[in-house]
Amino acid sequence: MTAPGLRPAVSLDGLQQRWQRLAARERAMLLLMAAAIVAAALWLGWLQPLLKQRSHWQVELPRLRAQSAALAPLLRAREQQRQAHGQRPTLDGLRQQITAAGLAGSLQIEMRDGRWHLQVRSVPADALWNWLLPLLADPAIELQQLQLQRTGDANMPAARISGNIVMAANGGTHP
């Protein structure tokens, strides 16, 4: 029994009959409308999100590449430190590092009492710290004494440092 005003469910045969009764122009319009609905659904559900994602990555990739390029030297230095970590520090190795840092004229190192004694004479502060801090980050080297003071004119834009540093290799000393 059907409620007044409601039509009974349409069967597949009934739909085919209605389709056949439509004029060719009406069928073409319905097919075109169905194709437009499918195209709009594909656009909204598939293509538009892909295009948004592509635009996002076009902006993001150059930034990520720049970060990668900036971090590459740090990663190489860290890898070299890992490889050198297996090697124990030596007096000759420290001398090579001092020379490579351009501090050979103002930083003298010698072995006394099984420890490395460094004498610092008027070294630019930034150059000294750029060499010393990564060195002290090596767990194989122990800082035992640090006596530094600023030298030269206090109004100088770049500070210069003089003093003494005493270090030793953990787990024994190496000449």
Side-chain angles (χ1 to χ4, degrees):
M1 189 125 192
T2 308
L6 292 178
R7 300 171 97 185
V10 179
S11 68
L12 189 55
D13 290 334
L15 283 176
Q16 282 181 340
Q17 288 175 0
R18 284 186 180 178
W19 182 259
Q20 294 301 326
R21 280 187 267 158
L22 293 175
R25 183 176 180 169
E26 291 172 335
R27 279 186 254 170
M29 292 288 276
L30 283 173
L31 287 174
L32 181 62
M33 201 166 52
I37 290 172
V38 168
L42 283 174
W43 172 263
L44 290 174
W46 180 65
L47 192 57
Q48 190 177 26
L50 286 178
L51 291 174
K52 282 182 182 179
Q53 190 176 28
R54 180 178 180 259
S55 297
H56 167 76
W57 286 112
Q58 282 180 330
V59 171
E60 197 68 19
L61 280 176
R63 185 183 68 80
L64 292 173
R65 285 187 182 118
Q67 286 178 347
S68 175
L71 290 174
L74 296 174
L75 291 173
R76 281 192 298 273
R78 180 66 180 143
E79 186 59 34
Q80 289 173 353
Q81 185 181 19
R82 280 188 190 161
Q83 290 172 354
H85 181 65
Q87 302 170 353
R88 300 176 79 110
T90 64
L91 183 61
D92 289 335
L94 287 176
R95 284 187 176 135
Q96 290 173 356
Q97 289 179 6
I98 290 168
T99 303
L103 301 172
S106 346
L107 192 64
Q108 302 301 317
I109 185 169
E110 61 183 40
M111 179 68 87
R112 277 188 270 144
D113 305 322
R115 299 183 295 178
W116 299 310
H117 291 261
L118 289 88
Q119 186 177 17
V120 181
R121 288 183 301 233
S122 192
V123 175
D126 58 343
L128 178 66
W129 296 125
N130 288 341
W131 171 78
L132 186 60
L133 291 177
L135 179 69
L136 294 177
D138 186 347
I141 296 179
E142 177 186 347
L143 178 64
Q144 295 185 338
Q145 182 181 0
L146 180 69
Q147 294 177 323
L148 298 175
Q149 63 185 16
R150 182 178 178 147
T151 57
D153 184 6
N155 294 325
M156 290 174 37
R160 298 190 84 68
I161 304 290
S162 294
N164 297 304
I165 302 170
V166 179
M167 298 182 291
N170 284 334
T173 57
H174 303 280

